[in-house]
Amino acid sequence: MESQRSLLVIGLALVSFLLWQQWNIDTAPKPVTPVTQNSDSTGSSSADLQLTTADAEQSVATVAAAARTITVSTDVFNLRIDSRGGDIVGLELPAFELNKGEGDAYPLMRKLNGFEYVAQSGLIGRDGPDDSRNPRPVYTAEKSSYALSSGATELVVPLLFNHNGLQIEKRFTFVAGQYDVRVEYFIKNQSTEVKTVQPYQHMVQTIDNGEGSSMMMPIYRGAAFGTSSERYNKYAFDDMQEKNLLEATTGGWVAMLEHYFVSAWVPDAQTDNQLYSLVRNGQGVIGAKGPAVNIEPGAEITLTSTFYAGPKDQDSLAKIANGLDLTVDYGFLWFISQPLFWLLTTIQGFVVNWGVAIICITLIVKGAMYPLTKVQYESMAKMRNLKPKIDELQARYKEDRQKMGPAMMELYRKEKVNPMGGCLPMIIQMPIFLALYWVFVESVELRHAPFMLWINDLSAQDPYYVLPVLFGLSMFLMQKLTPMQVTDPMQQKIMMWMPVAFSVFFLWFPSGLVLYWFVSNLISLAQMLYIYKGMEKKGLHTKKA
């Protein structure tokens, strides 16, 4: 039976391999293959949707002179709207620096040479101005620049356009302190005929953009969506290239994800919408279309949707749409990670330091797991005490394996020892520690968060590699306290070099994660000393015979 350190090392090695493997799957460039456009139940196909300027060069040339960029500034946004289509073509988050200490706002959405990430919305259908049969509408605005005034709670940016008897106002409403934007279409039919339009919203992003995650961090960049029946589904770019998404749902949402940030369109929650994706000209698109709407002569209607662009703040996202908070992706252990995240943020509210909060939650989790840890070490000690008797049985029945098994079980029963007692506690604890790991990986709150001394960003690696070295030393001490029951010389050498290997591996890990593992090791050392002292008083050996 191996010690806790052996099991933990094996578990860490397995998890690390799986994370590295998933990183390769998620970030490896994929060839862009043409896809067949699917038609929807309303008779309006994905081909009717206008994407970017690259998709309609002739139309752009016709109206280029009239188009202009409208800038919008709030306390949380620096945003650029293209008057052609009313598309969001640039969005920065001034509360989040691109690189810590440099002062540059994080550019979530942008149009650069070779890369594009924009949010589009419009009206298609028989009389929609954004139908592919028409050039994109060029809206007019009273000003080219809008800013949220000091002390104001709301900023409204109206864009106007007239199209074949339809008077259209596309209105963006920004609220102070909020990353969700209300996008409305106010449409008045000034003609003598019934007009039919269909709203759509989608995000467009270049697929092979050269932006990858660190090999040590399992960062997902791609799309996701939610329906009334399935709250959260990842839909990676390679999925888009294989098959177009086509999901009918009441409400729902679509999103583009990157490590700490998300952009999302949330259509009217009361209408029957169609979620879709497509790939065109090397760009991945995920969006939603609402039902076609008939507008009687002289009638006015309002079509509303919500656009979100900002940090993965679980509380805010949960209020916007059902399941949108799951874009903070804790994987299959989300039901454990979410309570742990709540506990972490609660602790941080008292200690006002995320590094101290990590130490506190590690103390709490390790303390809660102490009964299992005690069972584990006591079980291993009993197994060590039984080793002479086990060796005797193995020598007696070495020629008769069928009798050896029952004899071993009888020995365990007689001595009241569970041979799995050392493994089961670790199996129970591992999901909790993995869930806590994902909390640290996914929480935007840790991005650029300082700890103390030389650690000024818990989401970045230790600049002087002090924590990885301390982690390796603590791992080495744990091995000394609980020598491995390994007789093979090669295995002994491998285990001896494990602390060094993991110290090197952790050099590139975020310092918050290394802090967590280091503190966890220190607590384990203290627990070992305390448990071993109690077992020695009972006459149980705590070291290898």
Side-chain angles (χ1 to χ4, degrees), residues 260-295:
Y260 294 117
F261 304 96
V262 57
S263 65
W265 279 110
V266 182
D268 190 333
Q270 306 302 318
T271 61
D272 293 329
N273 303 302
Q274 185 183 71
L275 311 185
Y276 61 88
S277 75
L278 59 105
V279 173
R280 189 181 297 172
N281 299 330
Q283 295 174 326
V285 180
I286 190 164
K289 285 185 285 188
V293 179
N294 295 322
I295 312 172

Side-chain angles (χ1 to χ4, degrees), residues 112-262:
L112 304 171
N113 292 333
F115 178 70
E116 184 171 359
Y117 180 9
V118 299
Q120 298 183 321
S121 58
L123 301 170
I124 55 175
R126 188 187 68 194
D127 302 300
D130 292 277
D131 189 88
S132 60
R133 294 166 295 182
N134 306 314
R136 291 298 302 280
V138 177
Y139 288 87
T140 60
E142 291 183 358
K143 299 183 291 184
S144 61
S145 178
Y146 293 81
L148 183 69
S149 302
S150 177
T153 59
E154 189 174 273
L155 173 65
V156 176
V157 178
L159 307 178
L160 304 176
F161 183 72
N162 291 316
H163 174 72
N164 293 339
L166 293 179
Q167 179 179 298
I168 302 170
E169 177 186 341
K170 185 175 185 178
R171 180 185 299 177
F172 295 84
T173 302
F174 302 85
V175 178
Q178 295 185 13
Y179 291 94
D180 51 300
V181 181
R182 190 166 70 251
V183 181
E184 298 168 292
Y185 279 94
F186 297 92
I187 309 170
K188 183 176 181 180
N189 185 357
Q190 296 178 319
S191 74
T192 58
E193 301 176 349
V194 176
K195 298 290 185 178
T196 302
V197 298
Q198 183 180 15
Y200 78 92
Q201 312 88 25
H202 61 216
M203 270 84 60
V204 182
Q205 185 172 172
T206 302
I207 293 177
D208 186 9
N209 53 45
E211 295 184 14
S213 58
S214 165
M215 192 176 77
M216 302 304 173
M217 291 293 291
I219 300 169
Y220 173 79
R221 175 187 281 276
F225 67 92
T227 67
S228 55
S229 58
E230 294 183 85
R231 298 176 63 206
Y232 174 71
N233 296 271
K234 279 185 176 179
Y235 204 75
F237 288 133
D238 55 339
D239 294 327
M240 291 185 189
Q241 294 174 92
E242 293 177 5
K243 182 181 179 181
N244 287 343
L245 172 67
L246 199 63
E247 289 277 345
T249 179
T250 301
W253 55 267
V254 293
M256 286 284 189
L257 313 181
E258 53 192 70
H259 191 187
Y260 294 117
F261 304 96
V262 57

Side-chain angles (χ1 to χ4, degrees), residues 378 381-382 385 532 535-543:
E378 288 181 345
K382 290 178 180 179
N385 279 271
Y532 285 171
M535 289 191 296
E536 288 172 355
K537 289 181 179 179
K538 297 178 182 179
L540 296 174
H541 297 293
T542 59
K543 294 186 179 180

